[in-house]
Amino acid sequence: LDLCVPLETRTIAGKSVHAVGGGVLMTCLAESIERGDAEALAQGIVDWHKALAPAGDTTCVFRDSAFADDVAKTNLTAILSQHGITNVRSL
């Protein structure tokens, strides 16, 4: 990505989510994502993604250590995938 691409930040489900390049890259590097937060966070990202309507495929990046358990991570990833965001990464 070019260094001059637009960067927007919103709070979704109490977590900071960043959209880079009009939604081509979306990140949430929160320190904690509980099982109960996963659905609201994913749905908020999906809604924002639809509003941004990025020109290319979107990559979502999360902090792997933030997920409370595998269920939270799986639920969040499944909701994003159901809405066309299939490139989900956790670091």
Side-chain angles (χ1 to χ4, degrees):
L1 293 173
D2 194 346
L3 293 176
C4 62
V5 295
L7 172 67
E8 295 180 60
T9 302
R10 288 190 182 177
T11 300
I12 300 173
K15 315 289 183 210
S16 290
V17 178
H18 308 280
V20 181
V24 174
L25 173 65
M26 300 185 83
T27 65
C28 177
L29 301 176
E31 293 184 11
S32 173
I33 300 173
E34 298 296 324
R35 191 182 296 190
D37 299 333
E39 185 174 344
L41 179 59
Q43 192 58 53
I45 291 171
V46 165
D47 293 343
W48 191 17
H49 180 260
K50 286 180 183 177
L52 291 170
D57 290 335
T58 297
T59 299
C60 282
V61 178
F62 298 91
R63 182 184 298 201
D64 194 52
S65 62
F67 292 101
D69 53 26
D70 289 341
V71 173
K73 185 176 179 180
T74 302
N75 288 347
L76 186 138
T77 303
I79 293 167
L80 294 175
S81 293
Q82 289 171 356
H83 294 278
I85 304 172
T86 57
N87 196 6
V88 179
R89 302 284 181 253
S90 58
L91 308 172

